Amino acid sequence: MKGQETFFISCAPHVVPWLKQELDDLGYMPFEENYTGLFIKAPFEKCMELNFQLTTASRVLWLVDKFTATDQKQLYNKLSRIRWSDYFSEKKYITITSQTNHPSINNSMFLNQLCKDAVVDFFQSHYNIRPDSGPLRSEVVIHLHWQENKAWVYLDTSGEQLNKHGYRQNPFKAPVQENLAAAIIKATAWDKKCTFINPMCGSGTFAIEAAMMAGNKLPLLSRSNFGYMHLFDFNKKKFELLRSELALKSNFENMPAIIASDNNGYAIKATRENAERAGVDAFIEMTKCDFTETSIPDGNGVIVINPPYGERLGENIDLEALYKSIGDFFKQQCKGKTGFIFTGDLNLAKKVGLRTSARIPFYNGTIECRLLKYDLY
Ligand SMILES: C[S@@+](CC[C@H](N)C(=O)[O-])C[C@H]1O[C@@H](n2cnc3c(N)ncnc32)[C@H](O)[C@@H]1O
């Protein structure tokens, strides 16, 4: 495919401003945005760079058709008229994902099936062959969005979603998604020069993402499979060239201090193993201690704490004391820093007892959360 193509870059709700910032840094100007992503124009081959470089994105979707479909029959007919054989071989394994609010569909599996039938029937009628299909996002992934009688048909150039950055095989307890952690760090406006401190680090996601950001190391650069690799337009030479160019850009000289602590030894073990896998273990100081004993160097710094927020009855009592002690810790030990608490429980957050200077909304899965900012004079 030559010329400008349309891509929809999707992300978690509320992540759009940080994704936009990343696109801006790469020189892309979105022409439309909604709650879950942004549209840009770019030549096809740019999807390689986008998948590698966008740390806050979930998927890079290539728009291949857009049409009106008022009912399932019309949708099937229009889907089976797309010349799928222009994009990929009939030998490919196909996965369908979809999203809809159409009143005739109450199960997205059913819509996936309808779309799969249309694609497979296209190959059957033109080439007398039925491609293999199933749920693994290992080769060609087609994404259908059917909203208010309008259908958007995408080839998912990511394949497997970009949420996972590949280093976290040991998730410990209640970890945040890697792309959400990247967005949260961007929301703190950390300058990648001053100290980054992450007490209650769990599996180390924030500290690891921060180290990668500061060293300009792209988490997804070592990933070996993307959806775009299974499309005819994929050029392996350009892929290899781009990957080595981007690898050369990482630079760990002049790294800021990055500190991670947790009172659970297994959390520190998970952080160490995950950081090793990410290649940044040498740049993170890891300590098993109560958060109040975390070493806080002098000078400017950003502190990000993601405390537990229990949802079970009775658990809130201890947590109230914990949140109150975070407030005391901030007030007494963190003067001159900017403190952040990422939590899904705003009642607990009130126990911190300090005035917030910003309350930035996010979703952690289905839980509405806030990143609360405290200026610690
Ligand atoms: C929600 S988890 C953090 C998850 C982390 N953001 C991640 O992505 O893996 C909360 C962490 O706080 C730790 N924690 C709870 N109370 C603590 C305390 N008093 N001092 C230090 N760590 C504590 C727990 O061991 C747990 O790892």
Side-chain angles (χ1 to χ4, degrees), residues 168 172-176 200-206 262-264 267 289-291 306-308 322:
R168 204 171 64 189
F172 192 57
K173 280 189 247 171
V176 293
M200 304 196 195
C201 66
S203 50
T205 323
F206 286 106
D262 199 290
N263 66 356
N264 188 313
C289 64
D290 191 78
F291 77 96
N306 171 210
L322 183 71

Side-chain angles (χ1 to χ4, degrees), residues 117-130:
D117 288 346
V119 179
V120 169
D121 291 350
F122 166 86
F123 281 104
Q124 173 78 58
S125 62
H126 289 78
Y127 303 94
N128 201 23
I129 189 164
R130 294 182 78 75

